[in-house]
Amino acid sequence: MMEAKTESVLDAPVVAPPETARDMSQAESLNRGVEEMFIKVDQLEQKFNEVEQFYSTSNTKHLDTRGGSLVKDKEREKFSASSFIKKQQDIASREAVAAQRMQELMLQFGTILHQLTQHQWAGPFLQPVDVVGLGLHDYYEVIEKPMDFSTIKCRMEAKDGTGYKNVREVCADVRLIFKNAMKYNKERDDVHVMARTLLDKFETKWLQLLPKVDEEEERRKEEEADLQLDVQLAQEASYAKMTRELCFDLDEVDAQLEELRDSVLQKCRKMTTEEKKRLGSAITRLSPEDINKAVDIIAQNDPTFHAAGETVEVDIDAQSESTLWKLKFFVKDTLPLHMKSSTSTGGNNNGDNNQNCNNKRKRDVPESLAKTAQKKGKKPPN
């Protein structure tokens, strides 16, 4: 019976049916406001999930490879959008300079290749091995990756992205030419001797170029570390800005929801005497903690109301319609949970009695509400 009585007051229509064209227009306006609010909340949820994903997957403490210390928050704050654009321009400029340096290294390496290919013993290595013509039926069983100077030249001149990325890759293929020949041919064979001789000459030339290669690689490593750090700072600055905007938008949504709720409450019909009586009865069944929340709702809507002392007298008929409906919404959301919790405890009356004794003031508030509601001498339902 308790649940039925609660539902009778809580399930009653909140807003009176629109009777005029003006009422219809206002109702449609409220509906549009609610729909727009849903759309905005969905958008904010997507943005929130994106921000949450970034901060949950990224390490916010990155080592500064240039100084070996943690990047400070102030550095991130100074990393604005305009500075990021300038950084991007600087990066593009450095990339162009690095590409030019690499091109110069490739030209110097090309000089070494030219000297090797002009050697009198270079003939067997200029073109791919004629496996069929020479009858080398087991060649591909011995040699996993054939290589020759013409193949190296084609790859060095490639423009489709399949070319060499650095000088070391070219160096590895040059060595492979001679090592393949030495692997397939016996040590005393002419091709083996020619390959070993040219490999020694190449290694001598390579050692002369190697310091420049090492220097360039070190510079590239530092530039890539700087680039990675700049990108991370840009991402963190971007998501920090997004987070601030998200907080602002959420505050704005809260304000709009408050306005929308006030608009709805202003359109609420008047609560009947019977509904007020049942509302007071429903409040008596709240937990002490929720009773205090109900008192707070009254205080928020009535600046002159002060809850002091163990017993608080509240005239429920004197409350505004918006206050009554706020109480109704609160009870509707809270009472079913409270009743479910009470059922799950197995009716432990001793614990409930002790709690009620410790919260006498909290208990007396709804009782006074119920007493005020029964002005006609009718006893509120238990």
Side-chain angles (χ1 to χ4, degrees):
M1 289 300 295
M2 184 183 297
E3 293 183 13
K5 292 174 182 176
T6 304
E7 291 174 357
S8 64
V9 64
L10 300 183
D11 294 339
V14 179
V15 182
E19 299 177 354
T20 65
R22 180 180 179 183
D23 292 336
M24 291 290 294
S25 176
Q26 291 176 343
E28 291 176 359
S29 177
L30 287 175
N31 287 335
R32 286 195 301 270
V34 172
E35 291 175 358
E36 292 174 358
M37 191 62 60
F38 272 119
I39 293 174
K40 188 166 187 178
V41 169
D42 287 341
Q43 293 173 346
L44 291 178
E45 184 178 9
Q46 293 176 2
K47 185 182 292 187
F48 174 83
N49 291 335
E50 181 181 350
V51 172
E52 184 181 41
Q53 178 69 17
F54 171 77
Y55 284 110
S56 63
T57 56
S58 65
N59 183 6
T60 56
K61 290 183 178 182
H62 292 271
L63 287 178
D64 184 351
T65 54
R66 293 168 295 186
S69 61
L70 292 177
V71 180
K72 298 180 179 180
D73 292 337
K74 290 184 179 180
E75 185 176 354
R76 293 190 181 95
E77 293 174 0
K78 293 179 180 178
F79 204 90
S80 61
S82 59
S83 64
F84 177 64
I85 294 176
K86 186 176 183 301
K87 275 285 186 182
Q88 289 292 88
Q89 294 173 346
D90 293 341
I91 291 170
S93 177
R94 290 201 304 266
E95 286 289 339
V97 173
Q100 182 62 33
R101 295 197 306 265
M102 182 58 67
Q103 185 64 28
E104 292 176 358
L105 282 176
M106 284 292 190
L107 290 175
Q108 295 180 45
F109 194 89
T111 301
I112 297 176
L113 292 182
H114 178 73
Q115 293 173 353
L116 288 174
T117 56
Q118 295 301 311
H119 194 276
Q120 59 179 347
W121 288 350
F125 315 109
L126 297 179
Q127 300 295 328
V129 176
D130 185 3
V131 176
V132 177
L134 297 175
L136 308 177
H137 306 296
D138 61 342
Y139 185 81
Y140 294 116
E141 296 177 4
V142 179
I143 304 302
E144 297 180 1
K145 182 183 178 182
M147 187 56 59
D148 63 277
F149 283 113
S150 65
T151 300
I152 291 177
K153 181 180 178 181
C154 290
R155 190 175 174 188
M156 289 181 67
E157 297 175 351
K159 304 295 183 181
D160 58 355
T162 61
Y164 294 106
K165 296 179 180 179
N166 53 64
V167 177
R168 286 190 183 274
E169 290 185 352
V170 193
C171 176
D173 276 354
V174 172
R175 285 173 173 156
L176 186 60
I177 295 175
F178 303 127
K179 289 183 178 181
N180 283 347
M182 294 167 63
K183 181 179 181 180
Y184 188 78
N185 295 276
K186 295 180 180 180
E187 187 173 353
R188 294 185 178 182
D189 289 348
D190 291 341
V191 174
H192 185 107
V193 174
M194 296 163 66
R196 185 175 65 247
T197 301
L198 291 178
L199 178 59
D200 291 341
K201 291 183 176 295
F202 169 73
E203 294 294 351
T204 301
K205 297 290 185 180
W206 170 247
L207 287 176
Q208 296 174 0
L209 184 61
L210 188 57
K212 294 183 179 180
V213 175
D214 290 339
E215 180 183 357
E216 176 60 23
E217 288 176 344
E218 187 64 28
R219 292 181 65 176
R220 292 289 294 177
K221 186 184 299 183
E222 292 178 358
E223 289 174 354
E224 289 175 0
D226 290 344
L227 174 60
Q228 184 178 6
L229 181 61
D230 290 341
V231 169
Q232 178 63 31
L233 288 173
Q235 288 180 335
E236 292 183 5
S238 175
Y239 279 97
K241 180 176 181 292
M242 187 182 298
T243 302
R244 290 192 297 270
E245 293 174 349
L246 182 60
C247 292
F248 176 80
D249 292 339
L250 288 173
D251 290 339
E252 189 177 70
V253 167
D254 285 340
Q256 292 175 354
L257 284 173
E258 188 67 25
E259 293 177 1
L260 188 60
R261 185 179 66 174
D262 291 340
S263 298
V264 172
L265 290 173
Q266 290 174 5
K267 303 301 178 183
C268 289
R269 62 171 175 78
K270 291 185 178 180
M271 191 176 289
T272 65
T273 302
E274 182 67 18
E275 288 174 329
K276 293 177 184 178
K277 183 170 62 175
R278 291 177 178 174
L279 176 61
S281 176
I283 292 177
T284 64
R285 294 193 291 274
L286 295 175
S287 66
E289 181 181 356
D290 290 330
I291 289 173
N292 274 349
K293 294 179 181 179
V295 172
D296 289 339
I297 292 175
I298 297 173
Q300 290 172 2
N301 292 272
D302 183 5
T304 63
F305 176 79
H306 297 287
E310 294 184 350
T311 302
V312 179
E313 293 292 337
V314 177
D315 186 356
I316 198 168
D317 287 327
Q319 303 306 313
S320 65
E321 293 299 326
S322 63
T323 299
L324 293 174
W325 285 106
K326 286 180 181 179
L327 287 170
K328 175 221 145 182
F329 294 145
F330 173 72
V331 171
K332 182 178 180 181
D333 293 337
T334 306
L335 190 55
L337 296 176
H338 173 62
M339 293 172 62
K340 181 178 180 181
S341 176
S342 298
T343 303
S344 64
T345 59
N348 187 356
N349 294 329
N350 292 333
D352 292 341
N353 290 336
N354 292 335
Q355 189 176 25
N356 289 337
C357 289
N358 293 331
N359 296 277
K360 183 175 184 300
R361 173 180 168 274
K362 300 176 183 178
R363 179 193 62 196
D364 290 340
V365 173
E367 290 179 353
S368 62
L369 285 172
K371 290 176 183 177
T372 309
Q374 50 170 324
K375 286 193 172 182
K376 303 213 174 182
K378 294 183 179 180
K379 191 175 181 180
N382 294 323

